[in-house]
Amino acid sequence: MYKTNDLILRTTTSLIAFMMLGFAIYLLIAGHNAPGGGFVGGLLTAGAVLLMYMAYGTEAVEKMIPINFTTLVPIGLAVAVGTGVGSFIFNQPFLSHTFGYFTFPIFGEIELATAMLFDVGVYLTVVGVVMTIILTIANDR
Amino acid sequence: MIELMLSAALVMFGLAGAIALIRIIIGPSLPDRIIALDMIGVILVSVVAVISVILNTRAFLEVILILAILAFISTIAFSRYIERGAIIERKRDR
C-alpha cells in the first residue's frame, strides 16, 4: 500500500477552518437583525471542527482542542435556562428579555439584548450535540 | 432586458444541473458521481446568486457561502471514504 500525503488538504484546512469559525461567530452575532443565529452558527462551527478532524485525525485534534464536546450540551442548556430564570430577579415572567443601548470606544453606540445570551446557549448546545453524534458514529467500529 | 438575461441564465443553469444529474445516474464509477455532485453544488450556488439578484434582496448571501462550504466538506468526506475507507482516522500517519 502506498503512503498517502495530505499536504494540500492540511494547508487548505488550516486556512478554511479559521474562515469558517469567523463566519460562524458572525452568524451568531448577526442573528438579531439579519439571517443567522445560534443554530446555523453552531452547525457551521461543528463543520469547521469536523473539517479539522478529517484532515488531521482524531488524536491531533484532541490535542489541539482539549474539549469534551458532550459537556457543552449541559453548559449550553444551563446558559439558556439561566437567562429565563434570571428574569425572576427583576419580578418579570419567565424568559422576559430586555435590551439597552451602550456606547463603546471603537464601535460607538450598540444595542445589546439579553436574547443574545439565550442564543449563546443554543449555539453551545448545537455544537455539543452535532460533534457528539459525529464522533460517536466515527469511533464505532 | 436584464430580467430576460437573468431568466435565460437560470434556464441554462437548470440545463447544466440536468446534465450533471444524468452523469450521477449513469456514472459508471463512484468518483464520476462525486464530481457531478460537487458540480451540482456549484450550480446551486450560482442559482441562489442569480435568484437573489432577481428578488433584489441581500438576505441570501449567507446561503451562498454556507452552500459552498458544505459542498467542499462533503466532497472531502466522500474522497476520504473512497481513498481510505474511513472518514475520521484515529492515527495521523498510518
Side-chain angles (χ1 to χ4, degrees):
Chain A
M1 191 68 187
Y2 62 95
K3 189 168 169 58
T4 53
N5 192 354
D6 287 348
L7 179 65
I8 296 178
L9 177 61
R10 284 181 185 154
T11 312
T12 333
T13 297
S14 58
L15 286 175
I16 290 180
F18 278 104
M19 278 171 47
M20 287 171 65
L21 288 175
F23 185 54
I25 298 299
Y26 163 74
L27 279 179
L28 171 66
I29 293 175
H32 198 72
N33 300 315
F39 189 78
V40 188
L43 279 182
L44 206 60
T45 308
V49 179
L50 174 64
L51 186 63
M52 284 194 268
Y53 265 101
M54 284 196 295
Y56 291 105
T58 310
E59 289 185 349
V61 179
E62 277 172 357
K63 251 181 244 167
M64 276 192 277
I65 312 173
I67 300 173
N68 187 6
F69 288 102
T70 314
T71 58
L72 283 184
V73 180
I75 290 173
L77 287 178
V79 169
V81 172
T83 60
V85 174
S87 59
F88 286 145
I89 301 174
F90 304 100
N91 270 330
Q92 294 292 320
F94 185 61
L95 280 177
S96 298
H97 286 280
T98 181
F99 62 96
Y101 293 93
F102 300 96
T103 306
F104 288 97
I106 298 173
F107 303 106
E109 189 172 287
I110 292 179
E111 175 189 359
L112 288 180
T114 54
M116 185 71 219
L117 295 174
F118 189 81
D119 235 7
V120 170
V122 174
Y123 174 84
L124 291 176
T125 309
V126 169
V127 172
V129 167
V130 173
M131 288 316 293
T132 304
I133 289 173
I134 289 173
L135 292 181
T136 307
I137 293 174
N139 291 330
D140 185 30
R141 300 251 188 120
Chain B
M1 187 59 196
I2 187 79
E3 277 126 15
L4 185 66
M5 287 164 66
L6 290 173
S7 305
L10 275 185
V11 170
M12 281 189 251
F13 280 134
L15 280 178
I19 293 170
L21 196 61
I22 290 173
R23 176 50 71 189
I24 287 180
I25 292 170
I26 68 166
S29 66
L30 201 50
D32 287 334
R33 295 191 168 100
I34 291 168
I35 293 296
L37 206 62
D38 195 37
M39 187 178 154
I40 282 186
V42 175
I43 290 170
L44 269 181
V45 168
S46 316
V47 165
V48 172
V50 172
I51 284 179
S52 73
V53 173
I54 288 177
L55 294 180
N56 197 10
T57 177
R58 282 189 301 175
F60 295 144
L61 298 185
E62 285 92 355
V63 178
I64 295 171
L65 200 45
I66 288 179
L67 260 181
I69 287 170
L70 285 186
F72 176 69
I73 288 181
S74 59
T75 307
I76 285 180
F78 274 128
S79 325
R80 287 194 75 85
Y81 175 69
I82 287 178
E83 192 183 5
R84 309 267 178 101
I87 296 177
I88 298 179
E89 293 179 321
R90 177 143 288 277
K91 291 262 187 173
R92 178 171 170 176
D93 292 320
R94 184 165 57 178

